[in-house]
Amino acid sequence: MEFERKASVTILSALLPILLLLSACNSTPDYAPKPRGYARIYFPKHEYQQYNTDCPYTFNYPTYAVVEPDKSREAKPCWINLQLPQFNGTLHLSYQPVTSKKVFNELVEDAHTFAFKHTVKATSIDEGIIRYPDRKVYGIYYTIDGNAASSAQFFLTDSTHHYLRGALYFNTQPKLDSIQPVLDFVKKDIAVLIKSFKWKG
């Protein structure tokens, strides 16, 4: 009888710390996964420099951008890329001379077609008129919302001799919620480019 009592006390004293430990573990609140985080983005100052070469146009562009000639197979003279290395993006600029009314209409229609190719992924596509008659700069700015590959496109023309198309792409899978701060920042610099744009003759 005495032996049985001692044995049960020994078992209880051995189990008590384990029971206390298990009850402490169960008192923690339910686990909830944290939302996905994104790397902190450092934005440079909005400072600009002038692009002025032998090409028939000039404009101001951000100092953090690097201008490179377009090296694609279909590239023509005065096709350039504004590389945005800090944001892993590129603003493609392609120039075409306007040689006839027919060519002009085709170029304008191409810009519309290229912008609306993103309809599948876009939630909306808005068109804004660009008009600076004092510099003979006219065009349309396409704002493409949603997870489309390109979020901003535009074309500029004098309607008679010159035409330039721009398209912004990021070298990453398009997820609007993650690139939105960068997109808002870059769009301000695209606006400066357009407002400062001039044809050379």
Side-chain angles (χ1 to χ4, degrees), residues 29-105:
D30 292 338
Y31 172 77
K34 293 181 180 178
R36 184 183 298 244
Y38 297 100
R40 185 170 180 179
I41 302 165
Y42 295 94
F43 293 104
K45 287 183 179 178
H46 286 289
E47 296 176 334
Y48 304 95
Q49 56 195 333
Q50 188 177 36
Y51 177 79
N52 195 359
T53 64
D54 293 335
C55 293
Y57 55 82
T58 180
F59 57 82
N60 293 337
Y61 68 99
T63 54
Y64 64 82
V66 179
V67 179
E68 293 180 352
D70 190 325
K71 296 174 184 172
S72 62
R73 191 176 298 174
E74 65 275 4
K76 296 179 181 177
C78 293
W79 284 29
I80 61 172
N81 293 327
L82 286 185
Q83 299 294 350
L84 314 173
Q86 188 168 347
F87 304 126
N88 197 24
T90 305
L91 178 63
H92 301 276
L93 298 174
S94 52
Y95 171 79
Q96 299 273 14
V98 175
T99 55
S100 69
K101 186 67 175 172
K102 180 176 180 284
V103 168
F104 173 75
N105 291 336

